[in-house]
Amino acid sequence: MTERIKIIFDGKTFEFPLLIGTEGEKAIDIKALRSKTGLITLDPGYGNTGSCTSDITFMDGEKGILRYRGIPVEQLAEHSSFRETAFLLINGELPTENQLKRFSVMLNDHSLIHEDMQFFFQNLPRASHPMGILSSMVTALKSFYPELPDMEKDVDTTVTRLLSKIRTLAAMSYKISRGHKVVYPRPDLPYCANFLNMMFDSPVKPYKIDEDVVKALNIFWILHADHEQNCSTSAVRLVGSGKVNLYAAISAGIAALWGPLHGGANQAVIEMLEKLATQGADIKNLIERAKDKNDPFRLMGFGHRVYKTYDPRAKIMKATCDKLLAKFNISDPLLDLAKALEEAALTDDYFISHNLYPNVDFYSGIVLRAIGIPTNMFTVMFAIGRLPGWISQWKESMEESQWKLGRPRQIYTGLMKRDFVPIEKRS
Ligand code: ACO
């Protein structure tokens, strides 16, 4: 028999089912709480609230575990490609050789974007943030590519189209922002190499594809590919629950990711390190500021809602960073500063007692810098990586058994009923 959890309220006992996930996570199922008891729950920031059940990603914040469809992220980073990991997340299984080939062909077939979209870019102010541009462009895709009527084909095509076009859009916005000629996608190149070529190839200096750079980018995107019900994924699910089209739901995810407490942290980390470098690298002062409750400053790239130990992605990112910089003999003073800052924080009582460790964003910016990505594109890079996760979570939430319009409640704390006062009588 299913175990029950008892709630005693107003002298009465109410019973609710206990849910247990495949990894032993326990939850009280309160779907009937309000109808049975008249109560709702209050959980700002949703730290104790499960918004759905999901088969996609498992993470254990205490043990530092992250798995996509059961496979540890460490194994995927070592052996898989971003394209293959995207397939795994969206379809639930690793592809066979034929499935991967077909997926690659589809990605290539959909890599061009409508020429008219260039006019959008050209008329946006040069100083526009690439995340704002990306979010608008993804919404605009709906106008250029209205969905097909056949549902099966529709979902596959829409999803692949989005995965492929987002990379073209990102590279195109970079080229246009610099006043450079747009580079078209090349059908002979795989996903990551194709993106790098669109970003950095030019008629005067052809881009030389380096396999270690391609591997680093694959790892970066694999590590960002999904992270269960985080801020932007929850935005995608919530907006999607209103049955908007996929493009609109993903655009909401991009907007949510932009913030410095979420995906924007990778840009904020580099800006923090650059400031630290120009202000004499006073690490002690920075640590003291991060601990001071009267100072709004926080150590960017540190802390996580779920991880209370070292973020497993940060470990891989740090190793990738060391490898890449060593290969190209790059000496990045920001890497030395980051390592010194990490050491100082990890031996500080405040950071130890608050379980604050580097998160994925702490070293990712240095990897992106080594690849040649400009700082204001960092969060766009995160968004491309997170896209398979958003898509798979959206797909799962649209399944009949899962779909429910998202609509939290609240506890009203404003004024009680009072009468309207005409303007001449207001003091
Ligand atoms: N620097 C200093 N103190 C911190 C930091 C930090 N980076 N992060 C958390 N704390 C402290 C808080 O001040 C608070 O202290 P208190 O309990 O003494 O008041 C305690 O740790 C808990 O902090 P919360 O904000 O309640 O924790 P929450 O789980 O809501 O925050 C968050 C998680 C937003 C990521 C936070 O750690 C943070 O702001 N980090 C910096 C931004 C960052 O790196 N974001 C990227 C996260 S990863 C991602 O989204 C891709």
Side-chain angles (χ1 to χ4, degrees), residues 15-81:
E15 291 197 356
F16 297 92
L18 175 77
L19 285 187
I20 305 180
T22 45
E23 290 287 344
E25 292 167 296
K26 295 191 177 82
I28 167 169
D29 178 348
I30 53 148
K31 281 200 282 292
L33 181 70
R34 190 167 173 275
S35 61
K36 278 188 176 177
T37 66
L39 296 169
I40 63 162
T41 56
L42 182 64
D43 184 21
Y46 310 123
N48 308 286
T49 299
S51 59
C52 58
T53 58
S54 179
D55 295 348
I56 303 167
T57 289
F58 172 71
M59 59 190 288
D60 182 326
E62 271 69 39
K63 296 192 185 131
I65 293 174
L66 176 61
R67 297 181 201 138
Y68 302 154
R69 302 285 187 183
I71 303 176
V73 74
E74 291 81 1
Q75 291 182 21
L76 290 166
E78 195 177 341
H79 303 296
S80 185
S81 65

Side-chain angles (χ1 to χ4, degrees), residues 112-148:
L112 287 170
I113 62 166
H114 200 294
E115 288 287 322
D116 287 355
M117 289 193 90
Q118 287 207 38
F119 298 117
F120 282 25
F121 285 109
Q122 274 153 359
N123 291 314
L124 282 163
R126 279 283 149 89
S128 307
H129 194 283
M131 282 298 275
I133 300 178
L134 191 69
S135 166
S136 317
M137 290 300 159
V138 168
T139 312
L141 281 173
K142 169 71 180 152
S143 311
F144 288 95
Y145 304 95
E147 283 122 321
L148 308 169

